[in-house]
Amino acid sequence: MKFHVLTLFPEMIRQGFGTSVTGRAMKNGLLALNAVDIREYSKDKHKHVDDYPYGGGAGMVMQPEPIGLAYADITKDMQKKPRVIYVTPQGSVFRQSMAEEFAREDELIFLCGHYEGVDERILEEIVTDYVSIGDYVLTGGELPALVMMDAISRLVPGVLNNEDSAEFESFHDNLLEHPHYTRPVEYHGKRVPDVLLSGHHENIDRWRREQSLKRTLERRPDLLETAVLTSKDLEYLQSLGWNHSPVSENVK
Ligand code: 9D3
């Protein structure tokens, strides 16, 4: 997977992506990053890339020409037009299913906006997907681009070690994970739950399942709407006071 990022802050993208798992995958040749400074495509003697909005109003708008030239340069040797993701608060909210879809591409282009926005004409010309990471206001699109690239990268075959990739392939029934414990057996007066030390695997599995259910009910009750639940699970949830009539297809 090759990521191209059109940005005014290429160093932020390189720093963020070059560390940890994605950095290692770049060294292994599984991932590649081309962080492109839009300012380098400005024809202005002061390297301006923005101007006042037609019609008036606050702030500045990124001009179409530098972005168009940077895009032309990136795509000049490509066989087909790549998907171009404009990261914007006005986009669809990024989901795991979108990460899975984007991970099937060979190359992706991210466009990061700054100022009040980007001239609509270049967006109409090159953008294929408008994507946000959620309903909060950030200072720019660089962190959202990094978030999406991280989520996409771990789905590229070979990027994760075998242990972690086997884990995400296993089916979790759309529930949150149970709590985890390691040594010591007592920390600040709190003991590891006895069941985990018992060696009784059936009891351990049931305890973990119940912890997952309890945690999901407390923290993400919305997930229970689409969770895959057994009749035993339903009984346990009802003992916690959950009242919801499930859709029969989701009952295991
Ligand atoms: C000043 C007008 N703003 C309306 C709230 C527009 C605005 C544009 C661009 C506000 C913030 C930004 C910078 N953010 C992004 O480019 C961005 C973003 C975000 O802020 N939150 C969640 N996802 C994304 S994707 C890109």
Side-chain angles (χ1 to χ4, degrees):
M1 168 70 75
K2 184 166 187 180
F3 295 108
H4 304 266
V5 185
L6 295 172
T7 172
L8 293 173
F9 302 96
E11 236 11 83
M12 182 172 175
I13 298 292
R14 290 186 196 112
Q15 285 277 341
F17 200 67
T19 313
S20 181
V21 172
T22 48
R24 185 188 64 198
M26 280 202 286
K27 287 185 186 128
N28 295 340
L30 295 164
L31 300 176
L33 173 66
N34 176 29
V36 177
D37 186 352
I38 294 167
R39 205 173 289 284
E40 294 196 355
Y41 292 88
S42 171
K43 288 184 168 171
D44 189 287
K45 69 170 170 181
H46 296 107
K47 294 250 166 3
H48 284 149
V49 292
D50 61 327
D51 208 333
Y52 298 98
Y54 277 118
M60 304 294 273
V61 176
M62 287 177 75
Q63 293 172 294
E65 187 178 55
I67 295 170
L69 290 172
Y71 172 83
D73 207 6
I74 289 171
T75 55
K76 64 180 186 292
D77 296 323
M78 288 187 188
Q79 310 299 324
K80 58 164 196 145
K81 283 193 175 173
R83 286 176 86 160
V84 178
I85 301 161
Y86 178 39
V87 291
T88 167
Q90 298 177 34
S92 314
V93 178
F94 189 64
R95 300 178 64 90
Q96 189 64 23
S97 57
M98 296 163 79
E100 286 164 10
E101 192 181 312
F102 290 136
R104 293 196 287 266
E105 303 290 322
D106 294 326
E107 301 192 54
L108 289 169
I109 300 180
F110 287 89
L111 171 59
C112 302
H114 257 270
Y115 312 111
E116 294 312 294
V118 174
D119 187 288
E120 192 68 18
R121 293 166 295 182
I122 189 65
L123 300 178
E124 288 174 355
E125 194 167 290
I126 67 172
V127 172
T128 58
D129 299 87
Y130 294 79
V131 190
S132 158
I133 59 166
D135 295 338
Y136 33 83
V137 184
L138 302 171
T139 58
E142 284 73 17
L143 287 171
L146 284 167
V147 164
M148 294 179 210
M149 288 157 63
D150 191 277
I152 294 163
S153 293
R154 66 184 289 287
L155 300 175
V156 171
V159 168
L160 293 188
N161 59 45
N162 288 332
E163 220 173 286
D164 288 341
S165 39
E167 212 221 319
F168 83 73
E169 275 158 22
S170 78
F171 195 57
H172 286 303
D173 295 346
N174 210 32
L175 295 172
L176 299 186
E177 276 186 30
H178 56 75
H180 302 277
Y181 296 89
T182 186
R183 285 190 287 187
V185 76
E186 188 176 318
Y187 176 72
H188 286 187
K190 294 178 109 168
R191 275 183 58 81
V192 172
D194 280 332
V195 64
L196 299 180
L197 311 174
S198 70
H200 193 307
H201 291 291
E202 230 169 273
N203 287 354
I204 291 170
D205 288 348
R206 192 61 218 160
W207 182 85
R208 285 180 167 166
R209 183 73 178 181
E210 289 182 355
Q211 290 293 310
S212 282
L213 292 162
K214 183 163 180 268
R215 183 164 278 204
T216 307
L217 178 61
E218 284 167 358
R219 300 183 188 177
R220 290 292 307 276
D222 58 301
L223 294 182
L224 292 175
E225 305 298 323
T226 48
V228 184
L229 303 172
T230 65
S231 47
K232 226 176 174 187
D233 292 337
L234 284 171
E235 225 171 274
Y236 177 70
L237 283 168
Q238 277 152 11
S239 83
L240 298 177
W242 188 56
N243 56 328
H244 175 264
S245 32
V247 181
S248 60
E249 293 95 295
N250 293 335
V251 179
K252 229 189 214 172

